[in-house]
Short mmCIF file of all heavy atoms in Angstrom, two decimals:
data_model
loop_
_atom_site.label_atom_id
_atom_site.label_comp_id
_atom_site.label_asym_id
_atom_site.label_seq_id
_atom_site.Cartn_x
_atom_site.Cartn_y
_atom_site.Cartn_z
N SER A 58 58.09 90.78 24.86
CA SER A 58 59.28 89.97 25.16
C SER A 58 60.34 90.11 24.07
O SER A 58 60.05 90.61 22.97
CB SER A 58 58.86 88.50 25.24
OG SER A 58 58.34 88.07 23.98
N GLY A 59 61.54 89.63 24.38
CA GLY A 59 62.61 89.61 23.38
C GLY A 59 62.19 88.77 22.19
O GLY A 59 62.52 89.08 21.04
N TRP A 60 61.48 87.68 22.47
CA TRP A 60 60.98 86.81 21.40
C TRP A 60 60.10 87.60 20.44
O TRP A 60 60.23 87.52 19.23
CB TRP A 60 60.17 85.67 22.02
CG TRP A 60 59.78 84.59 21.07
CD1 TRP A 60 60.40 83.39 20.89
CD2 TRP A 60 58.67 84.60 20.14
NE1 TRP A 60 59.76 82.66 19.91
CE2 TRP A 60 58.69 83.39 19.44
CE3 TRP A 60 57.67 85.52 19.84
CZ2 TRP A 60 57.76 83.06 18.46
CZ3 TRP A 60 56.75 85.20 18.84
CH2 TRP A 60 56.79 83.98 18.17
N ARG A 61 59.20 88.40 21.01
CA ARG A 61 58.24 89.13 20.18
C ARG A 61 58.96 90.17 19.32
O ARG A 61 58.62 90.37 18.15
CB ARG A 61 57.20 89.81 21.09
CG ARG A 61 55.99 90.38 20.38
CD ARG A 61 55.16 89.37 19.64
NE ARG A 61 54.67 88.31 20.49
CZ ARG A 61 54.14 87.17 20.03
NH1 ARG A 61 54.01 86.96 18.74
NH2 ARG A 61 53.74 86.24 20.88
N THR A 62 59.97 90.83 19.90
CA THR A 62 60.73 91.83 19.13
C THR A 62 61.40 91.16 17.94
O THR A 62 61.38 91.68 16.82
CB THR A 62 61.79 92.47 20.05
OG1 THR A 62 61.13 92.95 21.23
CG2 THR A 62 62.51 93.62 19.38
N ALA A 63 61.99 89.98 18.17
CA ALA A 63 62.67 89.26 17.09
C ALA A 63 61.65 88.80 16.04
O ALA A 63 61.92 88.82 14.84
CB ALA A 63 63.41 88.06 17.66
N ASN A 64 60.46 88.41 16.49
CA ASN A 64 59.42 87.94 15.58
C ASN A 64 58.93 89.09 14.69
O ASN A 64 58.76 88.94 13.47
CB ASN A 64 58.27 87.35 16.42
CG ASN A 64 57.11 86.86 15.58
OD1 ASN A 64 56.02 87.40 15.62
ND2 ASN A 64 57.35 85.83 14.80
N THR A 65 58.74 90.26 15.30
CA THR A 65 58.29 91.44 14.53
C THR A 65 59.33 91.79 13.46
O THR A 65 59.00 92.05 12.31
CB THR A 65 58.07 92.63 15.49
OG1 THR A 65 56.95 92.32 16.31
CG2 THR A 65 57.79 93.92 14.76
N LYS A 66 60.59 91.77 13.86
CA LYS A 66 61.67 92.11 12.91
C LYS A 66 61.69 91.10 11.75
O LYS A 66 61.83 91.48 10.59
CB LYS A 66 63.01 92.13 13.64
CG LYS A 66 64.15 92.61 12.78
CD LYS A 66 65.43 92.79 13.56
CE LYS A 66 66.61 93.25 12.73
NZ LYS A 66 66.66 92.89 11.34
N SER A 67 61.54 89.83 12.10
CA SER A 67 61.55 88.79 11.07
C SER A 67 60.42 89.04 10.06
O SER A 67 60.62 88.92 8.84
CB SER A 67 61.39 87.42 11.73
OG SER A 67 61.16 86.42 10.77
N ILE A 68 59.24 89.39 10.55
CA ILE A 68 58.09 89.60 9.66
C ILE A 68 58.29 90.86 8.80
O ILE A 68 58.08 90.84 7.59
CB ILE A 68 56.79 89.65 10.48
CG1 ILE A 68 56.44 88.21 10.90
CG2 ILE A 68 55.63 90.27 9.71
CD1 ILE A 68 55.59 88.08 12.10
N GLN A 69 58.77 91.94 9.44
CA GLN A 69 58.96 93.18 8.67
C GLN A 69 60.06 93.02 7.62
O GLN A 69 59.90 93.42 6.47
CB GLN A 69 59.28 94.34 9.62
CG GLN A 69 58.04 94.73 10.44
CD GLN A 69 58.28 95.75 11.52
OE1 GLN A 69 59.41 95.87 12.01
NE2 GLN A 69 57.25 96.47 11.93
N ASP A 70 61.18 92.39 8.01
CA ASP A 70 62.29 92.21 7.06
C ASP A 70 61.87 91.30 5.90
O ASP A 70 62.18 91.56 4.73
CB ASP A 70 63.51 91.58 7.75
CG ASP A 70 64.17 92.55 8.73
OD1 ASP A 70 63.77 93.73 8.73
OD2 ASP A 70 65.08 92.12 9.47
N SER A 71 61.17 90.21 6.24
CA SER A 71 60.80 89.24 5.20
C SER A 71 59.78 89.83 4.22
O SER A 71 59.80 89.49 3.04
CB SER A 71 60.20 87.98 5.80
OG SER A 71 60.99 87.51 6.81
N ALA A 72 58.88 90.68 4.74
CA ALA A 72 57.90 91.31 3.84
C ALA A 72 58.64 92.16 2.81
O ALA A 72 58.34 92.10 1.61
CB ALA A 72 56.92 92.16 4.64
N LYS A 73 59.64 92.91 3.30
CA LYS A 73 60.43 93.75 2.38
C LYS A 73 61.09 92.89 1.32
O LYS A 73 60.99 93.15 0.12
CB LYS A 73 61.52 94.49 3.16
CG LYS A 73 61.20 95.96 3.33
CD LYS A 73 62.35 96.71 3.95
CE LYS A 73 61.77 97.73 4.92
NZ LYS A 73 62.53 97.90 6.13
N THR A 74 61.78 91.84 1.77
CA THR A 74 62.50 90.95 0.85
C THR A 74 61.54 90.33 -0.17
O THR A 74 61.88 90.18 -1.34
CB THR A 74 63.20 89.83 1.65
OG1 THR A 74 63.95 90.45 2.69
CG2 THR A 74 64.11 88.99 0.79
N ALA A 75 60.34 89.97 0.29
CA ALA A 75 59.40 89.28 -0.60
C ALA A 75 58.61 90.25 -1.48
O ALA A 75 57.81 89.84 -2.31
CB ALA A 75 58.42 88.46 0.24
N GLY A 76 58.80 91.56 -1.27
CA GLY A 76 58.07 92.56 -2.06
C GLY A 76 56.60 92.63 -1.67
O GLY A 76 55.74 92.95 -2.49
N ILE A 77 56.31 92.28 -0.41
CA ILE A 77 54.91 92.34 0.07
C ILE A 77 54.72 93.62 0.88
O ILE A 77 55.54 93.94 1.75
CB ILE A 77 54.59 91.09 0.92
CG1 ILE A 77 54.55 89.85 0.01
CG2 ILE A 77 53.28 91.26 1.69
CD1 ILE A 77 54.24 88.54 0.70
N GLU A 78 53.66 94.36 0.58
CA GLU A 78 53.40 95.58 1.35
C GLU A 78 52.75 95.19 2.68
O GLU A 78 51.71 94.51 2.69
CB GLU A 78 52.48 96.51 0.55
CG GLU A 78 52.36 97.86 1.22
CD GLU A 78 51.32 98.73 0.53
OE1 GLU A 78 51.19 98.65 -0.71
OE2 GLU A 78 50.64 99.47 1.26
N LEU A 79 53.38 95.60 3.77
CA LEU A 79 52.91 95.17 5.09
C LEU A 79 52.20 96.31 5.82
O LEU A 79 52.76 97.39 5.99
CB LEU A 79 54.13 94.71 5.91
CG LEU A 79 53.84 94.06 7.26
CD1 LEU A 79 53.18 92.70 7.06
CD2 LEU A 79 55.14 93.88 8.04
N LYS A 80 50.97 96.02 6.24
CA LYS A 80 50.28 96.97 7.13
C LYS A 80 50.36 96.34 8.51
O LYS A 80 49.71 95.32 8.76
CB LYS A 80 48.83 97.15 6.70
CG LYS A 80 48.70 97.87 5.37
CD LYS A 80 47.24 98.07 5.01
CE LYS A 80 47.10 98.66 3.62
NZ LYS A 80 47.57 100.04 3.50
N PHE A 81 51.21 96.90 9.37
CA PHE A 81 51.53 96.28 10.65
C PHE A 81 50.80 96.98 11.79
O PHE A 81 50.79 98.21 11.87
CB PHE A 81 53.04 96.37 10.88
CG PHE A 81 53.51 95.67 12.12
CD1 PHE A 81 53.86 94.33 12.08
CD2 PHE A 81 53.59 96.36 13.33
CE1 PHE A 81 54.28 93.69 13.23
CE2 PHE A 81 54.01 95.71 14.48
CZ PHE A 81 54.37 94.37 14.43
N SER A 82 50.21 96.19 12.68
CA SER A 82 49.50 96.79 13.81
C SER A 82 49.88 96.06 15.10
O SER A 82 49.86 94.84 15.16
CB SER A 82 47.99 96.67 13.53
OG SER A 82 47.26 97.02 14.66
N ASP A 83 50.22 96.84 16.14
CA ASP A 83 50.63 96.28 17.44
C ASP A 83 49.43 96.34 18.39
O ASP A 83 48.91 97.42 18.67
CB ASP A 83 51.79 97.14 17.97
CG ASP A 83 52.25 96.71 19.36
OD1 ASP A 83 51.46 96.09 20.09
OD2 ASP A 83 53.40 97.01 19.71
#
Side-chain angles (χ1 to χ4, degrees):
S58 62
W60 189 99
R61 191 62 57 194
T62 307
N64 179 246
T65 292
K66 186 173 179 331
S67 169
I68 285 157
Q69 289 173 335
D70 290 352
S71 311
K73 253 187 219 142
T74 309
I77 290 180
E78 189 187 325
L79 188 68
K80 292 182 186 292
F81 184 89
S82 170
D83 177 336

